Amino acid sequence: MPALREHLFQRRIGSDRLFRWRGGEVSRVEGLSDGVFALTLTLLVVSVDVPGTLYELWHTVRDLPVFLACFVLLMWAWSQHYLFFRRYGLEDLPTRVLNSVFLFLVLFYAYPTKFVATFLWRGVLGEPMEAMFATPPGVEWMSSYRQRATMMLFYGLGFVGVFGSLAAMSSWAYRRRDELELDELERFLTRGTVITHLLTAGVAAVSVALVLLGVQPGWSGVVYFALGPLHAVWGYWVGRRAAQLDAQLARAPSLVGSRGNSNDDASGSSSSA
């Protein structure tokens, strides 16, 4: 029975075919993390009052792309966080510290993300955006140009922090590869994940650098369009190489043994699901 339960656990829907999941039940660390993500989603919509008229309802519906953009970015970070704990199941002190940094940055990232998304959406609609950079009467502060640059600076720093902390968490898992008994394919995928997060953080770092160098804030935003091509090329190469390693493991009995057993072995050893 224990072997059967382990086999069913490894075969459950949603797990990686190329990576054995070491995370089991939802831990307290993951429970807290999910609560922080839920709070962040609340912060993204908390300023939206219940519409009292159809006109107000129309404006709320019209601005849904703002929430959608923020939601997609937040779910991107959550999915990577979820995958980390399912793959490695780590709950040691360094993991808890790095996870705490990650959660703090996710909370910080909520408002800059919503502000930038609102700014872009108003630009798409052709609405005036000067009110977003207004200051109270009698207050001398930054110029409109400096405020736009600061907006992109906050956004970029949040981006760097969130995905940089994810890269640090994956790097820590790779350092513990022997204790986790990661095989050749899993080690390759872990290194690939670290580089993926570093690419994401690197693009944001370039955006931050442009702001600090005094380049027009608009160009610091254009930089983010590089994320698509970069991830497409890198993801294609990683997927192709992972498939080759998987085929090699399937052909070499000694290497297959390092993964436990083949996927069809019902003994419940650590086979890939």
Side-chain angles (χ1 to χ4, degrees):
M1 287 298 293
L4 177 59
R5 285 197 297 270
E6 175 67 15
H7 176 69
L8 291 175
F9 174 76
Q10 295 291 342
R11 298 287 297 179
R12 67 196 181 284
I13 296 174
S15 57
D16 296 335
R17 187 183 68 82
L18 302 177
F19 209 112
R20 295 169 295 171
W21 282 13
R22 292 157 178 83
E25 297 295 328
V26 176
S27 65
R28 295 187 66 183
V29 174
E30 291 178 89
L32 173 63
S33 301
D34 288 341
V36 171
F37 275 103
L39 175 60
T40 305
L41 281 174
T42 302
L43 291 175
L44 293 175
V45 297
V46 70
S47 61
V48 178
D49 299 325
V50 177
T53 65
L54 184 61
Y55 179 76
E56 293 176 351
L57 176 61
W58 159 245
H59 271 268
T60 300
V61 173
R62 187 202 63 174
D63 292 338
L64 276 179
V66 173
F67 174 71
L68 177 61
C70 298
F71 181 81
V72 169
L73 288 174
L74 187 62
M75 288 300 98
W76 181 12
W78 176 87
S79 65
Q80 296 302 313
H81 181 271
Y82 166 79
L83 193 61
F84 171 84
F85 280 98
R86 292 280 70 78
R87 282 182 168 182
Y88 308 108
L90 291 173
E91 297 180 24
D92 54 9
L93 179 59
T95 300
R96 295 198 302 272
V97 171
L98 290 172
N99 186 64
S100 298
V101 172
F102 170 78
L103 295 178
F104 173 80
L105 292 170
V106 165
L107 282 171
F108 164 80
Y109 189 54
Y111 283 131
T113 302
K114 186 175 182 180
F115 193 90
V116 171
T118 302
F119 172 79
L120 294 175
W121 184 236
R122 289 190 179 181
V124 170
L125 296 177
E127 294 183 349
M129 295 173 286
E130 287 75 12
M132 297 184 66
F133 304 100
T135 56
V139 175
E140 294 185 5
W141 200 47
M142 300 180 186
S143 64
S144 177
Y145 173 84
R146 288 286 304 278
Q147 289 188 53
R148 293 171 191 242
T150 303
M151 172 186 70
M152 295 307 302
L153 182 63
F154 283 162
Y155 180 77
L157 290 175
F159 220 99
V160 170
V162 168
F163 288 94
S165 58
L166 284 173
M169 291 168 66
S170 297
S171 296
W172 174 246
Y174 186 74
R175 288 188 60 183
R176 300 196 59 183
R177 56 191 179 276
D178 293 332
E179 299 172 59
L180 293 170
E181 299 181 356
L182 300 183
D183 62 27
E184 182 182 359
L185 175 57
E186 291 168 334
R187 294 182 184 206
F188 170 76
L189 290 173
T190 301
R191 293 194 301 269
T193 299
V194 173
I195 295 175
T196 297
H197 294 325
L198 289 178
L199 283 174
T200 305
V203 169
V206 171
S207 175
V208 170
L210 290 177
V211 172
L212 295 177
L213 290 173
V215 178
Q216 285 287 340
W219 286 110
S220 65
V222 171
V223 167
Y224 290 97
F225 285 104
L227 284 172
L230 279 175
H231 281 293
V233 173
W234 176 246
Y236 173 78
W237 184 85
V238 169
R240 185 174 180 179
R241 179 57 181 158
Q244 293 173 350
L245 287 174
D246 187 44
Q248 292 174 10
L249 289 170
R251 288 195 302 267
S254 61
L255 293 177
V256 173
S258 69
R259 293 181 69 87
N261 285 308
S262 65
N263 289 344
D264 296 329
D265 186 352
S267 66
S269 186
S270 298
S271 61
S272 176

